[in-house]
DNA sequence: AGATGCCGGATTTTT
DNA sequence: TCCGGCATCT
């Protein structure tokens, strides 16, 4: 119990209040992660809870690993039987365990957004839909939102929707889900949706997990969506031992379906909630925190709170104006070079920007300055063409119905099998009720002799690998495939500059597979290759950071959540970038952009540099930049603009608006997604979307009578949940 | 089947 | 500016 002395009174309360619902409103740098770790240790060592009975949900795989590492190091806790992971990885494990009750096998493929895109293209072709009228991006977003609200296509088809666009969208949705199942595949959202719906529909399975996970902790609760809320609710509703930790000021994922009202309504969703506010910041000096506080006060959708700190005497955030984006990058590189020459590790330096596209100039500048850097995000390692290709081979061997992978590999490397042949193979497969894999072993009548031979040769090759797949180690299999296809020499002999790095990446992939094999903890009777494929689908770039290399880190502000660095450089503080132009006309989105900057600033332990440019290329042509409106919201005396040759104020400071800075009122959180409401004419219905706040919010409601309506909140009443 | 070239459109953030 | 999609040619 001695370890409780390491904690402040609030943290101690969080740690020792093990029974019943606990809400922890934890500001940036207030020791949130620490509290979760200590709470887990307390549950295990003091309260003698069996590790099997604990579920911890983190926001990234990396955070999960870190947590395990620290539990092990500081408390000598064996983390083997502890369930720690992201929502997605935890759902993946559950679905694999319960596949008998589900419409797919445990070998299911996980489709990333590239696979998803390929799928939609096939569907568009089949349904003869013009992507001009139904832009892919828009449609995938809508469908993703439906899944995150647990609305299945069948639910929608019950409604007699008149609107052509909506009707077509649901047709696509339905077809998409059918296609995925036919391919034994799930997308990211499906992982959550199938699990939540399974718990909802099958009480004995729900009970099994509710009994298993007697103690549940969720980190970053402000960024959970409805499916995640429901999922956790179904697990915790019986025992109520649920501890959620989050900060409404750091909610930055609403575009992904995250619903801030999950955290704001926690005290209503659960009974007798014990609430702890942690407002002492242990990370940043007062000079930095004051600026952050001043900024975030401009948001109206928040719990009123103010972070404070004992850490004093440091510099205020510096604001600098550079001529263009090259100068901006060069400036950061020079500053970091200077710090580095005085003994600062590059590991303590962070570059943050709003969009991935901004990273390129920084790469350049750091390369010039001979400073080692690592980029997080952008094109994920596993999304690169050469890696997707080899993964597609592996996937197809395991999952012989995976059309997306099949169409990827059938003619790569080129073996003179084109799309006509592909279509014929698919038809033959369909007609004879075969898997694609088996069809390749046949003589397909509609093919001419030459083509048929090529197809059969390919089939033989796949057959050979499939036998290896169940016999040899993953790494050997991968090597075998790469050798047989002569991929390395293919890329090395290429004239295309893009191919230069490809053979290197392939080698790295081999190494990664080896690492996986070495660290693999056999959890079920699932073949290792299945686990490998599924786990790499959920890997992010953050997980692939090489910790051994001392380097400056470059990433988007979204990726920076939960991290801390001594020196933080925040670039591109310009209207259009931050706040992003796409958020200009929407107050909610503007507030989210503001939170993004708040998150960025509060990463810093020692210094913050805010930069913007005089001029920046937009759509290819240079145009004058406008300094971010957020800069004007921070009081003059909190920002250092003096003794600074770069600074000159170019835009007139807009008048600050008077803002409602009070606590979120009942009115503001009146409706939320999933709530049941009733209407005098349409009867009962469930809310699918809320636009605006308060009683007068615009609601999208699906009524039990079948209508899907947009309605002003004042015309409905809330029913029981 | 594959290479070439033109046009139009899009540009946020990620598991 | 760059990328992807489409048409056309070989």
């Amino acid at each position: 119990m001695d370890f409780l002395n390491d904690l402040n009174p609030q943290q101690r309360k969080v740690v020792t209040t093990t029974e019943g619902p606990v809400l922890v409103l934890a500001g940036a740098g207030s020791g949130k992660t620490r509290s979760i770790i200590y709470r887990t240790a307390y549950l295990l060592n003091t309260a003698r809870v069996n590790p099997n009975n604990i579920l911890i949900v983190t926001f990234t795989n990396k955070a999960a690993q870190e947590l395990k590492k620290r539990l092990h190091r500081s408390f000598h806790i064996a983390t083997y039987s502890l369930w720690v992971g992201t929502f997605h990885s935890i759902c993946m494990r559950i679905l694999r365990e319960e596949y008998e009750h589900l419409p797919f096998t445990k070998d299911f493929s996980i489709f990333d957004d590239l696979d998803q895109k390929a799928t939609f293209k096939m569907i568009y072709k089949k349904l003869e839909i013009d992507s001009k009228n139904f832009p892919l991006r828009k449609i995938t977003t809508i469908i993703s939102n439906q899944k995150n609200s647990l609305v299945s296509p069948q639910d929608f088809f019950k409604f007699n929707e008149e609107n052509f666009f909506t009707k077509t969208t649901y047709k696509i949705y339905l077809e998409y889900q059918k296609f995925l199942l036919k391919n034994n595949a799930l997308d990211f959202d499906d992982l959550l949706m199938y699990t939540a719906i399974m718990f909802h529909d099958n009480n004995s399975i729900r009970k099994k997990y509710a009994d298993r996970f007697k103690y549940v902790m969720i980190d970053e609760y402000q960024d959970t969506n409805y499916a995640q809320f429901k999922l956790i609710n179904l697990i915790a509703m019986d025992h109520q031992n649920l501890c959620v930790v989050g900060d409404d000021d750091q909610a930055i994922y609403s575009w992904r379906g995250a619903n801030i009202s999950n955290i704001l309504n926690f005290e209503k969703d659960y009974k007798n909630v014990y609430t702890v506010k942690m407002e002492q910041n242990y990370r940043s000096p007062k000079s930095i925190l004051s600026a952050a506080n001043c900024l975030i006060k401009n948001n109206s959708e928040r719990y009123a709170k103010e972070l404070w700190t004992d850490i004093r005497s440091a510099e205020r955030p510096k604001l600098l104006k550079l001529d263009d984006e090259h100068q901006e990058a060069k400036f950061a590189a020079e500053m970091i070079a200077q710090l580095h020459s005085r003994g600062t590790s590059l590991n303590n330096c962070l570059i943050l920007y709003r969009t991935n596209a901004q990273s390129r100039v920084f790469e350049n500048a750091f390369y010039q300055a001979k400073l080692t850097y690592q980029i997080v995000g952008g094109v994920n390692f596993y999304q690169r063409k050469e890696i997707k290709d080899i993964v597609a081979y592996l996937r197809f061997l395991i999952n012989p119905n995976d059309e997306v992978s099949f169409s990827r590999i059938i003619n790569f490397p080129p073996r003179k099998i084109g799309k006509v042949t592909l279509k014929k193979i698919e038809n033959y497969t369909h007609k004879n009720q075969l898997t694609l894999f088996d069809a390749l072993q046949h003589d397909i009548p509609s093919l001419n002799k030459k083509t048929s031979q090529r197809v059969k040769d390919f089939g033989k090759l796949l057959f050979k690998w499939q036998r290896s797949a169940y016999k040899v180690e993953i790494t050997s299999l991968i090597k075998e495939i790469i050798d047989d296809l002569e991929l390395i020499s293919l890329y090395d002999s290429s004239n295309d500059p893009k191919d230069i790095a490809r053979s290197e990446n392939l080698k790295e992939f081999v190494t990664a597979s080896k690492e996986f094999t070495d660290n693999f903890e056999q959890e079920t009777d699932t073949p290792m290759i299945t686990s490998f494929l599924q786990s790499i689908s959920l890997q992010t770039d953050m997980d692939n950071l090489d910790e051994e290399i001392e380097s400056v880190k470059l990433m988007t502000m979204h990726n920076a959540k939960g991290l801390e660095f001594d020196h933080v450089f925040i670039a591109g503080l310009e209207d259009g970038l931050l706040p992003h132009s796409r958020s200009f006309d929407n107050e909610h989105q503007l507030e989210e952009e503001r939170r993004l900057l708040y998150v960025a600033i509060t990463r810093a332990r020692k210094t913050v540099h805010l930069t913007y440019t005089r001029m920046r290329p937009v759509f290819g042509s240079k145009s004058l930049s406008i300094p971010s409106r957020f800069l004007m919201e921070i009081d003059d005396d909190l920002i250092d603009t003096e003794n600074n040759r770069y600074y000159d104020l170019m835009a007139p400071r807009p008048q600050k608006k008077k803002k409602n800075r009070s606590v979120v009122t009942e009115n503001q959180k009146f409706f939320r997604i999933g709530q049941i409401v009733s209407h005098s004419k349409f009867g009962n219905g469930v809310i699918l979307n809320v636009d605006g706040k308060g009683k007068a919010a615009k609601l999208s409601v699906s009524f039990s009578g079948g209508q899907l309506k947009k309605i002003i909140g004042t015309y409905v009443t809330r029913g029981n949940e």
Side-chain angles (χ1 to χ4, degrees):
Chain A
M1 293 276 271
D2 282 351
F3 66 90
L4 291 179
N5 295 332
D6 302 349
L7 305 171
N8 71 25
Q10 289 83 26
Q11 293 171 338
R12 211 172 300 142
K13 268 295 185 194
V14 175
V15 170
T16 55
T17 311
T18 60
E19 310 301 305
V22 178
L23 169 64
V24 185
L25 294 165
S30 63
K32 187 162 68 88
T33 312
R34 189 188 179 82
S35 303
I36 292 177
I37 292 171
Y38 276 61
R39 194 171 193 271
T40 312
Y42 184 86
L43 281 169
L44 291 167
N45 291 351
T46 310
R48 296 270 154 216
V49 173
N50 186 322
N52 289 314
N53 293 332
I54 299 178
L55 171 67
I56 304 169
V57 183
T58 57
F59 198 69
T60 61
N61 295 308
K62 175 122 176 151
Q65 274 172 23
E66 206 89 318
L67 192 95
K68 283 191 187 172
K69 221 190 312 178
R70 283 174 64 179
L71 277 171
H72 181 71
R73 281 211 191 129
S74 311
F75 298 96
H76 311 289
I77 287 170
T79 52
Y80 172 76
S81 52
L82 214 54
W83 281 60
V84 188
T86 61
F87 272 105
H88 289 88
S89 66
I90 281 163
C91 287
M92 177 184 83
R93 271 179 85 173
I94 294 174
L95 293 176
R96 219 156 57 195
E97 215 170 283
E98 303 301 333
Y99 72 96
E100 291 163 326
H101 306 280
L102 293 160
F104 39 82
T105 74
K106 61 160 69 170
D107 291 329
F108 59 84
S109 298
I110 298 175
F111 277 12
D112 65 16
D113 46 351
L114 293 172
D115 303 316
Q116 199 184 41
K117 209 172 149 194
T119 305
F120 274 105
K121 280 189 185 152
M122 294 183 196
I123 289 172
Y124 275 31
K125 204 169 268 175
K126 185 179 166 195
L127 298 182
E128 295 178 323
I129 286 167
D130 186 355
S131 65
K132 288 206 178 64
N133 301 329
F134 296 89
L136 242 161
R137 221 192 155 71
K138 200 169 168 188
I139 300 299
T140 50
T141 308
I142 293 175
I143 292 178
S144 173
N145 286 159
Q146 300 314 329
K147 290 186 176 184
N148 288 327
S149 313
L150 299 181
V151 178
S152 70
Q154 286 79 5
D155 290 342
F156 268 107
F157 263 21
K158 286 189 216 139
F159 311 135
N160 244 337
E161 175 59 50
E162 300 297 320
N163 179 309
F164 176 68
F165 181 83
T166 319
K167 215 162 136 184
T168 311
T169 306
Y170 296 132
K171 229 186 254 174
I172 298 171
Y173 183 15
L174 189 70
E175 194 63 31
Y176 175 58
Q177 289 310 90
K178 268 176 28 198
F179 182 95
L180 287 172
L181 286 183
K182 206 173 92 210
N183 285 261
N184 198 25
L186 305 187
D187 69 15
F188 291 132
D189 302 319
D190 283 338
L191 293 170
L192 306 174
M193 182 172 77
Y194 276 112
T195 313
I197 289 181
M198 176 175 73
F199 284 173
H200 181 264
D201 291 349
N202 188 327
N203 197 45
S204 64
I205 296 181
R206 184 194 71 78
K207 205 103 181 58
K208 174 176 158 191
Y209 288 90
D211 287 346
R212 179 188 295 178
F213 301 129
K214 290 198 173 71
Y215 294 89
V216 182
M217 275 179 264
I218 319 285
D219 196 7
E220 308 283 5
Y221 194 68
Q222 77 281 0
D223 281 321
T224 52
N225 60 35
Y226 179 70
Q228 293 164 335
F229 161 79
K230 198 72 198 164
L231 181 68
I232 290 304
N233 184 255
L234 287 162
I235 291 175
M237 59 196 281
D238 298 342
H239 54 63
Q240 299 273 314
N241 296 327
L242 171 63
C243 172
V244 303
V245 185
D247 178 6
D248 50 318
D249 286 335
Q250 293 185 67
I252 53 176
Y253 280 93
S254 74
W255 50 273
R256 206 168 82 180
N259 190 345
I260 196 168
S261 47
N262 283 347
I263 194 161
L264 298 181
N265 284 347
F266 188 79
E267 287 167 320
K268 273 201 278 169
D269 295 328
Y270 294 87
K271 297 252 152 57
N272 302 320
V273 171
Y274 186 81
T275 302
V276 182
K277 273 194 190 183
M278 307 203 314
E279 290 177 301
Q280 180 173 6
N281 174 300
Y282 296 95
R283 179 186 297 151
S284 312
K286 187 157 190 274
S287 53
I288 291 174
L289 217 49
S290 306
N293 277 334
C294 186
L295 173 75
I296 200 66
K297 264 194 232 158
N298 292 280
N299 271 10
S300 59
E301 298 171 308
R302 64 186 294 254
Y303 274 111
K305 59 178 153 337
E306 187 141 336
L307 285 186
W308 58 277
T309 182
D310 279 339
I311 308 171
R312 293 185 181 279
S313 72
E315 301 159 44
R316 290 173 294 170
K318 285 192 169 65
L319 176 65
L320 299 107
K321 175 182 174 184
L322 288 306
D323 203 57
D324 61 16
E325 80 277 18
H326 300 287
Q327 295 300 317
E328 182 180 49
K330 200 173 154 205
F331 167 75
E334 277 171 9
M335 293 296 292
I336 289 174
Q338 219 177 85
L339 287 163
H340 189 49
S341 69
R342 291 187 206 139
T344 302
S345 164
L346 297 181
N347 287 335
N348 293 333
C349 304
L350 171 68
I351 307 288
L352 290 177
Y353 36 77
R354 175 69 234 272
T355 66
N356 283 304
Q358 289 168 260
S359 67
R360 258 179 83 173
V361 277
F362 281 95
E363 273 193 88
N364 239 322
F366 284 113
Y367 181 78
Q368 300 277 327
K370 298 195 168 52
L371 293 168
T372 318
Y373 64 88
Q374 290 190 77
I375 297 189
V376 177
V379 183
N380 185 315
F381 180 75
Y382 291 100
Q383 309 235 61
R384 292 180 191 171
K385 182 202 174 303
E386 62 277 17
I387 305 299
K388 290 270 321 167
D389 288 336
I390 181 79
V391 168
Y393 274 99
L394 296 174
R395 245 196 212 169
F396 186 64
L397 295 176
I398 297 305
N399 182 1
N401 282 316
D402 188 334
E403 276 172 74
V404 174
S405 297
F406 181 69
S407 66
R408 200 177 174 99
I409 61 176
I410 177 114
N411 201 30
F412 180 85
R415 49 177 76 87
K416 294 193 190 299
I417 303 178
K419 50 178 181 247
V420 180
T421 311
L422 175 61
K423 189 82 210 142
K424 284 180 183 166
I425 298 172
E426 280 172 357
N427 286 342
Y428 178 83
T429 307
H430 190 238
K431 216 170 76 194
N432 295 288
Q433 307 255 333
L434 299 165
T435 66
L436 282 166
F437 189 92
D438 290 336
L440 294 177
Q441 318 295 327
H442 290 210
D443 276 309
I444 298 175
S446 56
L447 299 178
N448 68 40
K449 215 171 164 199
K450 260 189 189 162
T451 315
S452 179
Q453 193 54 48
R454 287 198 282 261
V455 171
K456 277 199 300 186
D457 287 346
F458 182 47
K460 264 186 217 155
L461 206 52
L462 287 167
F463 188 70
K464 179 182 114 155
W465 293 327
Q466 196 185 52
R467 292 182 50 178
S468 299
Y470 291 102
K471 242 172 35 199
V472 302
E473 290 266 284
I474 306 170
T475 309
S476 323
L477 173 67
I478 294 171
K479 276 190 192 152
E480 186 182 338
I481 296 174
I482 292 176
D483 285 348
D484 289 348
L485 296 174
E486 299 176 328
L487 290 177
I488 300 287
S489 57
L490 178 84
Y491 286 129
D492 283 347
S493 63
S494 160
N495 295 322
D496 188 342
K498 282 182 187 158
D499 285 341
I500 295 172
R502 294 212 157 121
S503 58
E504 285 310 310
N505 287 336
L506 279 177
K507 288 171 198 159
E508 205 176 316
F509 181 65
V510 173
T511 313
S513 75
K514 183 85 177 71
E515 259 164 45
F516 181 86
T517 316
D518 292 346
N519 300 324
F520 184 61
E521 295 170 5
Q522 192 80 37
E523 69 199 29
T524 54
D525 55 347
T526 315
M528 199 190 304
I529 186 157
T530 300
S531 306
F532 176 64
L533 289 174
Q534 290 179 350
S535 87
I536 62 175
S537 312
L538 300 184
Q539 296 254 316
T540 63
D541 239 35
M542 191 74 80
D543 305 318
N544 289 316
L545 267 188
D546 193 335
E547 309 263 345
E548 305 295 304
I549 301 173
E550 182 191 331
S551 63
V552 181
K553 307 294 182 293
L554 282 65
M555 64 184 80
T556 62
M557 300 175 188
H558 282 91
N559 268 313
K561 193 154 83 156
L563 305 180
E564 55 178 25
F565 289 78
D566 284 353
H567 306 286
V568 177
F569 293 78
I570 306 172
L573 282 154
E574 292 147 36
D575 263 25
L577 271 179
L578 185 71
H580 195 273
S581 48
R582 297 263 324 229
S583 63
F584 280 171
D585 50 359
N586 180 321
E587 193 57 34
H588 296 278
Q589 287 179 29
L590 274 173
E591 297 210 349
E592 183 148 314
E593 298 284 308
R594 193 179 281 114
R595 290 193 290 268
L596 212 41
L597 180 55
Y598 176 77
V599 168
I601 295 173
T602 53
R603 298 309 93 199
R605 282 187 295 236
K606 289 182 180 154
T607 69
V608 171
H609 285 88
L610 305 163
T611 59
Y612 67 99
T613 61
R614 183 179 70 85
M615 215 165 55
R616 187 182 294 271
V618 180
F619 299 122
S621 63
K622 293 233 165 197
S623 69
L624 289 178
S625 329
I626 303 165
S628 171
R629 62 190 75 181
F630 297 149
L631 291 173
M632 320 301 168
E633 295 174 354
I634 305 175
D635 293 343
D636 287 346
D637 57 333
L638 298 177
I639 290 198
D640 181 3
T641 55
E642 287 163 39
N643 306 321
N644 169 358
R645 69 194 157 93
Y646 297 99
Y647 183 77
D648 90 78
L649 193 69
M650 62 166 298
R653 300 203 122 197
Q655 286 296 307
K656 278 187 198 169
K657 277 187 286 183
K658 277 272 175 237
K659 279 272 184 176
N660 168 18
R661 293 176 181 181
S662 60
V663 184
V664 176
T665 64
E666 281 311 300
N667 271 350
Q668 285 171 322
K669 49 178 176 176
F670 201 76
F671 291 110
R672 63 181 180 73
I673 294 173
Q675 230 170 22
I676 307 290
V677 291
S678 67
H679 182 273
S680 54
K681 191 167 147 209
F682 301 118
N684 287 336
V686 58
I687 299 180
L688 302 177
N689 193 36
V690 183
D691 193 5
K693 61 193 172 211
K695 287 182 183 170
K698 281 184 206 129
L699 310 175
S700 306
V701 183
S702 82
F703 289 100
S704 47
Q707 308 88 337
L708 187 67
K709 296 283 175 196
K710 283 212 179 226
I711 269 181
I712 303 290
T714 44
Y715 293 100
V716 299
T717 50
R718 289 187 300 173
N720 294 324
E721 288 224 64

